[in-house]
Amino acid sequence: MNPNALLELLAQVQQGSLTPAAAADRLAHLPFEDLDFAKIDHHRPLRTGLPEVIFSAGKTPSQVADIFAHLAATGVAVLATRADQSHFAAVHAAIPAATYHATARTITFPSKNPPQSKGLIAVLCAGTSDIPVAEEAAVTCELFGTEVLRIHDVGVAGLQRILAQRERLRLADAVIVCAGMEGALPSVVGGLVAVPVIAVPTSVGYGASFAGATALLGMLNSCSPNVTVVNIDNGFGAAYVATLIARASTR
Amino acid sequence: MNPNALLELLAQVQQGSLTPAAAADRLAHLPFEDLDFAKIDHHRPLRTGLPEVIFSAGKTPSQVADIFAHLAATGVAVLATRADQSHFAAVHAAIPAATYHATARTITFPSKNPPQSKGLIAVLCAGTSDIPVAEEAAVTCELFGTEVLRIHDVGVAGLQRILAQRERLRLADAVIVCAGMEGALPSVVGGLVAVPVIAVPTSVGYGASFAGATALLGMLNSCSPNVTVVNIDNGFGAAYVATLIARASTR
Amino acid sequence: MNPNALLELLAQVQQGSLTPAAAADRLAHLPFEDLDFAKIDHHRPLRTGLPEVIFSAGKTPSQVADIFAHLAATGVAVLATRADQSHFAAVHAAIPAATYHATARTITFPSKNPPQSKGLIAVLCAGTSDIPVAEEAAVTCELFGTEVLRIHDVGVAGLQRILAQRERLRLADAVIVCAGMEGALPSVVGGLVAVPVIAVPTSVGYGASFAGATALLGMLNSCSPNVTVVNIDNGFGAAYVATLIARASTR
Amino acid sequence: MNPNALLELLAQVQQGSLTPAAAADRLAHLPFEDLDFAKIDHHRPLRTGLPEVIFSAGKTPSQVADIFAHLAATGVAVLATRADQSHFAAVHAAIPAATYHATARTITFPSKNPPQSKGLIAVLCAGTSDIPVAEEAAVTCELFGTEVLRIHDVGVAGLQRILAQRERLRLADAVIVCAGMEGALPSVVGGLVAVPVIAVPTSVGYGASFAGATALLGMLNSCSPNVTVVNIDNGFGAAYVATLIARASTR
Amino acid sequence: MNPNALLELLAQVQQGSLTPAAAADRLAHLPFEDLDFAKIDHHRPLRTGLPEVIFSAGKTPSQVADIFAHLAATGVAVLATRADQSHFAAVHAAIPAATYHATARTITFPSKNPPQSKGLIAVLCAGTSDIPVAEEAAVTCELFGTEVLRIHDVGVAGLQRILAQRERLRLADAVIVCAGMEGALPSVVGGLVAVPVIAVPTSVGYGASFAGATALLGMLNSCSPNVTVVNIDNGFGAAYVATLIARASTR
Amino acid sequence: MNPNALLELLAQVQQGSLTPAAAADRLAHLPFEDLDFAKIDHHRPLRTGLPEVIFSAGKTPSQVADIFAHLAATGVAVLATRADQSHFAAVHAAIPAATYHATARTITFPSKNPPQSKGLIAVLCAGTSDIPVAEEAAVTCELFGTEVLRIHDVGVAGLQRILAQRERLRLADAVIVCAGMEGALPSVVGGLVAVPVIAVPTSVGYGASFAGATALLGMLNSCSPNVTVVNIDNGFGAAYVATLIARASTR
Amino acid sequence: MNPNALLELLAQVQQGSLTPAAAADRLAHLPFEDLDFAKIDHHRPLRTGLPEVIFSAGKTPSQVADIFAHLAATGVAVLATRADQSHFAAVHAAIPAATYHATARTITFPSKNPPQSKGLIAVLCAGTSDIPVAEEAAVTCELFGTEVLRIHDVGVAGLQRILAQRERLRLADAVIVCAGMEGALPSVVGGLVAVPVIAVPTSVGYGASFAGATALLGMLNSCSPNVTVVNIDNGFGAAYVATLIARASTR
Amino acid sequence: MNPNALLELLAQVQQGSLTPAAAADRLAHLPFEDLDFAKIDHHRPLRTGLPEVIFSAGKTPSQVADIFAHLAATGVAVLATRADQSHFAAVHAAIPAATYHATARTITFPSKNPPQSKGLIAVLCAGTSDIPVAEEAAVTCELFGTEVLRIHDVGVAGLQRILAQRERLRLADAVIVCAGMEGALPSVVGGLVAVPVIAVPTSVGYGASFAGATALLGMLNSCSPNVTVVNIDNGFGAAYVATLIARASTR
């Protein structure tokens, strides 16, 4: 339930078109909308500052489309992550204005009242194969109203590549670093900037990379104290936190 | 070395007050102090916003005391973590004004120019046994000039305890949550606040807690998107990042 | 060997149509029926209170159908779990009255003497993607004669969803909680009810969820003492134990 | 905020004594209080059926003694687990009537109004070295008012030992099985009884027993469907759930 | 090369019928046949008592067929394990008399001088899904000239099934036990027989069975001291050792 | 219930002194007793060929001494493994003729009727640090009446050491190979002999040896098919199985 | 940028032919070519002695072809590893002279100025299934200008196979050993040669080989001190280091 | 035994100065010295270029001293690693000229014919706590006759520290990099030099460093292709291989 809807309901009570008992009943059944298979948390924007997001993996196209449409109807920015072409087809049928970002595997639909762009987030990746995760992060930041600085393929085996970006990096309110294999880039970046670094281990690699576990462990043991870590391939989560930081920085 | 310093140096070369060879030498000579067994990074406060910190475990008392004294001499706030009584004895002999925080196992010495207190960080722990890790975080925040709200023993098996703190939690610029065992508290807290939550898994537990690995894994899989994670028992690291966020929020 | 068959055999002894020696021989060779590739344990209903169940994964459709038909012939309730469409096709050909539950991936056939419905089991899941596991549990409970209260999508990141269900939860004789990712829901539910909570980790998640291992470990370390745990995705096992508890509660 | 309070608030809106905006603000800040759990909070025994328990490991003797005395003053049965002699010394100084169970490493103090003994729980262990865990379970059951049947050293390598106990086992309302090494005993017991079996892996073993992890994994994969599992060495947790089941069985 | 052959060679040198250079060359030239991609160890039957065996997984059909044909040409019994239909097609084209065992996924071709059948090996499996592994073991034993007693579906959750087999089990010179999930059957069987038990963990199971790792760990921790273990799904290896034992027993 | 008891019961039915229903009830409660294993139970040496053995770790000195004395009184060979000096002191007080083997950490007491020495077992170890495990195996073999060939420090990095032992190795009925670190020796030995090789991983090593887990895994993946494996440091178990094989070989 | 280039640049500043601002800009501008999705490190041959290599897995065919063509244009030897037929098709369209090595899954294009062949590297594999990894190593060595001695199928279960190669092995400047399963071959080879042995664990095996992790762990624990290890299946990396050693040996 | 010696021996047989039996005996008799608990490999210096080394952990002081004295008597350089003060006391009593290196925990005794110093090896460590491992490497290199460049505390969080060392690093024939925590330093160093980098993970760290496993995994996944890896804390092994490379480079 978005704030406007709540005010409207209370106005109806004030105006006498809704009894207190009926209003209480409606408030008790919300603040989430029950689609039977999912309970949409319309209350989240008020409570946590950013709208609910749809994790598409393991959901059917029609489930994703239903939730997407219900969220879009409230006017908030809508984001579906881990969405494949079949998810998008179903969403597109319901919401023709929705956009598919193929590399990032996300579907977006802008807020009716998009926020003024706030802050700058640098999104780095160590290698070309990490770009899909980095794009999930970048698309998320942009949907939530933050400017993004994309810096690709700056792994630590050729330090001059990241060192050349130092000045640009220092403009960012937060830095997201996506890396697979040994996951060393966040430690190096952490030593170059004065803002939080959010490390995203990726499942890029083979053999003893153990599908991202090695990068994850390396990042958790970073010798740079400004590094925190999210789950493997979780570009969205990193973007969510970076957005909160960028908003705070520009308040 | 900041861009201006580089331009200045190059200008000296242009003006002939510095030979190319001397300039090349200075460009190679960066600002760390070599104690033979350790290279103190005096440049860090400028580069990353907060001073270097001494990780005492695995260092001898005299090594810790030497580094502590060198840092204290520069006037920055000095922090030694994972310090036991023998470390403190050596530090205290060198710097009598240093303070030992027994529960937090840290030694602190304030900056000559302490920053004005900036922002508020909530430091939560799920159980009584998590308090040492929470205190490492709290002492770090306070030394770096941030106000701390301590909330102990609010584990999820008795939800009313954390729910009763909701109003106070909403005042914080960032929330640090320390929890062992299943590590569920950050997910619950993440759903209650609109700021970043930094989750610190603790090694509290037994059996299949695997010395904090279970809490760590749980936190990395949090269904609350505003949660990021640091290493097991790393209260210091959480505080470092939370401080950066609080400073940004109050800029 | 079902109870009737045993009585019949003993009656033959009583009537003299079977010698004690011949009867002893027959009793020693059973109480299981040997299909060569499987030994059906017809004795189980007497010994453990509930009939044997067919785990279909790794069995051919015709093997599942053979065992299903043999069990159905004895009049007990028959349940095949982890059954796909090809398993059902074979079972359906043999037992046209069998029912396929697609979401739960189970095939059921009711007992000739269905028990009076006994007790109430709440089956919760944290997210939409956990529904298949929850349905395996729910279908099992219903086949075994217990009433089921389904509550979906009540994960801990939006506490109001589970808190809104508290009154209904308290009616249950046992609670089954299915959750993937960090698996925190059983701890929260455990603090809200006074009955056993059976936690089912699901393989829902990605990256460091390690196909349910993280949820499993979290549940084993639950700070709520009324939580016990079954294998990943084992909705059937949870339902089996919950049914035993519900029957005891309503004796 | 209980339902009446909500109605009252809405009535104020209807009556014009509260504007919709002010009401919306109050509703946004307090979405759960209508459930009134702070009051329930003071009644954990009422809510969950059994009193709070003190996990002594990682707590100082004086912390344990303080909590113990506080609980004892309320008249409930008090239990401290994982308590060593130093914990007991402190508790004994405060509550001279407290009892130390050395093998079980627990301290108990009976309820002022001990419940009538309800139900029977069988507590089995596979080998002599598992007895401390089994005793933690047994002492817990007894304190909570359930009768205990202790059966020791009935590991599966000598089946006749457990088979000889079948008749006694069938009297139990629930069975707790403690086993280390390969942890096979719960599967065997599960096939012999018609009640829930709660498996407790123990850290008994060496080498590839990995401090109980092997037994834990084995129990989670039990081919007996009436087996659920708790954490390694968690005799208390098993007893807690078994007590709930026994109480239900004897209602 | 056996000692006599060495002495004979050296005697030839002494007698002048072989030059030192030629002898050095022969000493370097040991009895394997080089197919470029594989070195067939024709010496193995002499050295280790049983012929070399072809592990087909990861080899192309034509590679398997080439090696198979080379071995068959020497008159020994030939065995290819982990062979699929495409492997068999290639082998069959080269050696029409070769036999495919579909369940066991093996191809066999009998020795020109088959040994007299020696000894009896019992091959047990816990569940129907373990039969392929058990059959790999059984086919191997039979090819190597040992009689096999197959006993299927005797898992520990229904003890009467294995107990009914005790007398037959006691006839065996060695017992092979294949089991997945918790892998408890070898411990139970180990307590019933006086001969070595070779435990074969299978990858049967789901979730925390971790593709056979749980069964493997359980078997390594068996409380029956006559149990040794081979790799997951390694029916062939178990049969190989059992054959050696059976041959020794019947010498 | 032994067979006679069953016949008696059935005779009562035949004679009408027991109704079929009453008989069915008794049979349902006692389905296994007709197999008469309680009697066999008192004769483990008869059933499994070797006497019971005491695992001392985790038992008190007096527990070990009690069991030791009880077994010694029956005249069988007595063996206590993992025994330290305090265990031996207690045993020695009870049975002055018991012997302590310090390197092997075992206590032995010979059978009153020691078997004629049967067979030869080679006990190898890869390095000097593996000797304690090898000695546990050797002492066990000797107590059980088998001759032992000890071969130490023949690791694979200097192949000439093991190759020099080939002729002696070929005399053995079974070979026990103890190795830590990479655990490669069993594979090499397996290729040199025609008898079963029992591999014992040891906890010798550091870092990525993970206390023997690496050696264990290596042995389970041995490319020599005559290798089976026991638990880490389990010299006793290897000796037990080797003794069974040696006895069979010399029957 | 080498030191001379730096001095030259600074000299230009001194001489006034370059402004400080332009110099600062050039210092920031380091020699990599930006393809947007990848930054080609043309500086690498100078810095590290060997050209950059394309890891094709996870890159699209057109990405691989673009990078390949850019590198080829500079005249260096070009190597793409982990390339499938679709990668080759794209590369071939751009650079018709490129060669595909199907077994090695690599694409190569020779340097315009191929180095004189330097040194000899022996590339061994334990079994036929390890050949693809060995070929990746061999093709890499050859492209970089080193002669290769291929020795296949010399696993430790038939020692005579590797022993027969001793004299040839001693000619090598470095030895690469590829092995799966228990990974024992590098230890044996390490004891036979006086040069570095680079061990490549392969993912060949099943069950407890854990996709190469067991071989990796075994190699890391090698008792031969001249063994170092690279990632699972990383034939390229082993060849890279071996080439550096061979070049040094022949300087 | 080299080929010439073999031909000579065979020539003696041809000439009748050696009987075939005596020759067979000498062929079997290879050059190691048997101390009963250890077989000293005096042949190793010839075979592998460097003398045997004593791993002291798990050996008694007198065992270490005996082996040390036997090796010293042959005139080779003697090295005992992982030696504590008690090992040194025993060695010192036997060989008063032996030297103890406390930080490196090694005992050395120089060769009678020390080699001319050959080559330069850089030994780096990321942090102060890694120095003991680095010193084990450095002392080993020096004993084997290679010059060492020690560079301490140059972790990647302050890149200027390692960048300042670039010119010195480029003088080395091989680089050893010791690092704990995330183990990122070898990747960075690998990108700066044109020689092999031998990475030594150290057990420095806490929590998710898992005693060096995280650093080990990170190094195995290095994006710098000139990095190979040895076991955790294995400074000796790294030095051994680096010495072989340095010798080759200076031949």
Side-chain angles (χ1 to χ4, degrees), chain E residues 218-245:
Chain E
M219 291 167 177
L220 286 165
N221 284 280
S222 176
C223 51
S224 289
N226 52 346
V227 174
T228 59
V229 186
V230 295
N231 195 1
I232 297 164
D233 291 335
N234 187 7
F236 158 68
Y240 193 102
V241 173
T243 299
L244 293 178
I245 296 171

Short mmCIF file of all heavy atoms in Angstrom, two decimals, chain E residues 218-245:
data_model
loop_
_atom_site.label_atom_id
_atom_site.label_comp_id
_atom_site.label_asym_id
_atom_site.label_seq_id
_atom_site.Cartn_x
_atom_site.Cartn_y
_atom_site.Cartn_z
N GLY E 218 29.95 -42.01 6.43
CA GLY E 218 29.36 -42.93 7.39
C GLY E 218 30.08 -44.27 7.38
O GLY E 218 30.41 -44.82 8.43
N MET E 219 30.35 -44.80 6.22
CA MET E 219 30.99 -46.11 6.13
C MET E 219 32.41 -46.09 6.68
O MET E 219 32.87 -47.03 7.30
CB MET E 219 30.99 -46.56 4.67
CG MET E 219 29.58 -46.88 4.16
SD MET E 219 29.54 -47.04 2.35
CE MET E 219 27.82 -47.51 2.09
N LEU E 220 33.12 -44.98 6.45
CA LEU E 220 34.49 -44.86 6.99
C LEU E 220 34.48 -44.84 8.52
O LEU E 220 35.47 -45.17 9.15
CB LEU E 220 35.15 -43.59 6.46
CG LEU E 220 35.57 -43.64 5.01
CD1 LEU E 220 35.87 -42.24 4.49
CD2 LEU E 220 36.81 -44.53 4.84
N ASN E 221 33.37 -44.43 9.10
CA ASN E 221 33.26 -44.37 10.55
C ASN E 221 32.51 -45.56 11.12
O ASN E 221 32.05 -45.51 12.26
CB ASN E 221 32.54 -43.08 10.95
CG ASN E 221 33.43 -41.87 10.84
OD1 ASN E 221 34.23 -41.63 11.72
ND2 ASN E 221 33.32 -41.15 9.74
N SER E 222 32.42 -46.62 10.36
CA SER E 222 31.64 -47.76 10.80
C SER E 222 32.13 -48.30 12.14
O SER E 222 33.32 -48.41 12.39
CB SER E 222 31.74 -48.89 9.76
OG SER E 222 31.06 -50.03 10.25
N CYS E 223 31.17 -48.62 13.01
CA CYS E 223 31.54 -49.21 14.29
C CYS E 223 31.79 -50.72 14.16
O CYS E 223 32.16 -51.36 15.14
CB CYS E 223 30.46 -48.90 15.33
SG CYS E 223 28.81 -49.30 14.79
N SER E 224 31.63 -51.29 12.98
CA SER E 224 31.99 -52.69 12.76
C SER E 224 33.40 -52.74 12.19
O SER E 224 33.66 -52.15 11.14
CB SER E 224 31.01 -53.34 11.76
OG SER E 224 29.75 -53.51 12.36
N PRO E 225 34.32 -53.44 12.87
CA PRO E 225 35.72 -53.33 12.45
C PRO E 225 36.07 -54.12 11.20
O PRO E 225 37.19 -54.00 10.72
CB PRO E 225 36.48 -53.87 13.66
CG PRO E 225 35.52 -54.78 14.34
CD PRO E 225 34.15 -54.23 14.08
N ASN E 226 35.18 -54.89 10.68
CA ASN E 226 35.50 -55.66 9.47
C ASN E 226 35.06 -54.97 8.18
O ASN E 226 34.97 -55.59 7.13
CB ASN E 226 34.90 -57.08 9.55
CG ASN E 226 33.42 -57.06 9.87
OD1 ASN E 226 32.89 -56.03 10.28
ND2 ASN E 226 32.77 -58.18 9.67
N VAL E 227 34.84 -53.66 8.26
CA VAL E 227 34.37 -52.90 7.10
C VAL E 227 35.52 -52.07 6.52
O VAL E 227 36.16 -51.31 7.24
CB VAL E 227 33.21 -51.96 7.51
CG1 VAL E 227 32.82 -51.04 6.35
CG2 VAL E 227 32.01 -52.76 7.97
N THR E 228 35.77 -52.23 5.22
CA THR E 228 36.64 -51.28 4.51
C THR E 228 35.82 -50.66 3.39
O THR E 228 34.76 -51.17 3.03
CB THR E 228 37.90 -51.93 3.92
OG1 THR E 228 37.51 -52.95 2.99
CG2 THR E 228 38.76 -52.54 5.01
N VAL E 229 36.33 -49.58 2.82
CA VAL E 229 35.51 -48.74 1.96
C VAL E 229 36.23 -48.47 0.64
O VAL E 229 37.45 -48.39 0.59
CB VAL E 229 35.20 -47.39 2.66
CG1 VAL E 229 34.21 -46.56 1.86
CG2 VAL E 229 34.66 -47.64 4.06
N VAL E 230 35.44 -48.35 -0.43
CA VAL E 230 35.97 -47.92 -1.73
C VAL E 230 35.25 -46.62 -2.14
O VAL E 230 34.37 -46.14 -1.44
CB VAL E 230 35.80 -49.01 -2.81
CG1 VAL E 230 36.64 -50.25 -2.47
CG2 VAL E 230 34.35 -49.36 -3.02
N ASN E 231 35.61 -46.10 -3.28
CA ASN E 231 35.06 -44.83 -3.75
C ASN E 231 33.54 -44.94 -4.02
O ASN E 231 33.01 -46.03 -4.21
CB ASN E 231 35.79 -44.40 -5.04
CG ASN E 231 35.56 -42.94 -5.40
OD1 ASN E 231 34.87 -42.21 -4.69
ND2 ASN E 231 36.15 -42.52 -6.51
N ILE E 232 32.89 -43.81 -4.05
CA ILE E 232 31.46 -43.71 -4.34
C ILE E 232 31.15 -44.37 -5.69
O ILE E 232 31.82 -44.11 -6.68
CB ILE E 232 31.05 -42.22 -4.36
CG1 ILE E 232 31.27 -41.58 -2.98
CG2 ILE E 232 29.62 -42.04 -4.82
CD1 ILE E 232 31.28 -40.06 -2.98
N ASP E 233 30.18 -45.24 -5.71
CA ASP E 233 29.70 -45.93 -6.92
C ASP E 233 30.74 -46.89 -7.52
O ASP E 233 30.56 -47.36 -8.65
CB ASP E 233 29.28 -44.92 -8.01
CG ASP E 233 28.03 -44.13 -7.66
OD1 ASP E 233 27.22 -44.65 -6.85
OD2 ASP E 233 27.84 -43.03 -8.16
N ASN E 234 31.79 -47.21 -6.78
CA ASN E 234 32.86 -48.05 -7.32
C ASN E 234 32.58 -49.54 -7.09
O ASN E 234 33.28 -50.22 -6.34
CB ASN E 234 34.20 -47.65 -6.71
CG ASN E 234 35.37 -48.37 -7.37
OD1 ASN E 234 35.19 -49.07 -8.37
ND2 ASN E 234 36.55 -48.24 -6.79
N GLY E 235 31.53 -50.03 -7.73
CA GLY E 235 31.20 -51.46 -7.61
C GLY E 235 32.32 -52.33 -8.12
O GLY E 235 32.62 -53.39 -7.55
N PHE E 236 32.98 -51.90 -9.19
CA PHE E 236 34.07 -52.68 -9.76
C PHE E 236 35.19 -52.91 -8.74
O PHE E 236 35.66 -54.03 -8.53
CB PHE E 236 34.63 -51.98 -11.01
CG PHE E 236 36.02 -52.39 -11.32
CD1 PHE E 236 36.30 -53.68 -11.76
CD2 PHE E 236 37.08 -51.50 -11.13
CE1 PHE E 236 37.62 -54.06 -12.02
CE2 PHE E 236 38.39 -51.89 -11.39
CZ PHE E 236 38.66 -53.18 -11.83
N GLY E 237 35.63 -51.82 -8.10
CA GLY E 237 36.74 -51.95 -7.16
C GLY E 237 36.41 -52.90 -6.01
O GLY E 237 37.25 -53.70 -5.59
N ALA E 238 35.17 -52.79 -5.52
CA ALA E 238 34.78 -53.69 -4.44
C ALA E 238 34.84 -55.14 -4.91
O ALA E 238 35.30 -56.04 -4.19
CB ALA E 238 33.36 -53.34 -3.98
N ALA E 239 34.38 -55.39 -6.13
CA ALA E 239 34.38 -56.74 -6.67
C ALA E 239 35.80 -57.26 -6.86
O ALA E 239 36.09 -58.45 -6.63
CB ALA E 239 33.64 -56.76 -8.01
N TYR E 240 36.69 -56.39 -7.26
CA TYR E 240 38.08 -56.77 -7.49
C TYR E 240 38.70 -57.31 -6.19
O TYR E 240 39.31 -58.38 -6.16
CB TYR E 240 38.84 -55.56 -8.01
CG TYR E 240 40.19 -55.86 -8.59
CD1 TYR E 240 40.40 -55.93 -9.96
CD2 TYR E 240 41.29 -56.08 -7.76
CE1 TYR E 240 41.65 -56.19 -10.50
CE2 TYR E 240 42.54 -56.35 -8.28
CZ TYR E 240 42.72 -56.40 -9.65
OH TYR E 240 43.96 -56.68 -10.18
N VAL E 241 38.53 -56.53 -5.12
CA VAL E 241 39.11 -56.95 -3.84
C VAL E 241 38.40 -58.19 -3.31
O VAL E 241 39.03 -59.11 -2.79
CB VAL E 241 39.04 -55.78 -2.82
CG1 VAL E 241 39.47 -56.26 -1.45
CG2 VAL E 241 39.93 -54.64 -3.29
N ALA E 242 37.08 -58.21 -3.44
CA ALA E 242 36.33 -59.38 -2.96
C ALA E 242 36.78 -60.64 -3.68
O ALA E 242 36.88 -61.72 -3.09
CB ALA E 242 34.83 -59.15 -3.14
N THR E 243 37.06 -60.50 -4.96
CA THR E 243 37.54 -61.65 -5.73
C THR E 243 38.88 -62.15 -5.20
O THR E 243 39.10 -63.36 -5.05
CB THR E 243 37.66 -61.26 -7.22
OG1 THR E 243 36.37 -60.89 -7.70
CG2 THR E 243 38.19 -62.42 -8.05
N LEU E 244 39.76 -61.21 -4.91
CA LEU E 244 41.06 -61.61 -4.35
C LEU E 244 40.87 -62.37 -3.05
O LEU E 244 41.55 -63.37 -2.77
CB LEU E 244 41.94 -60.38 -4.10
CG LEU E 244 42.42 -59.60 -5.34
CD1 LEU E 244 43.24 -58.39 -4.91
CD2 LEU E 244 43.26 -60.50 -6.26
N ILE E 245 39.94 -61.87 -2.22
CA ILE E 245 39.69 -62.54 -0.92
C ILE E 245 39.08 -63.92 -1.15
O ILE E 245 39.49 -64.91 -0.53
CB ILE E 245 38.78 -61.66 -0.04
CG1 ILE E 245 39.49 -60.35 0.31
CG2 ILE E 245 38.37 -62.40 1.22
CD1 ILE E 245 38.62 -59.31 0.98
#
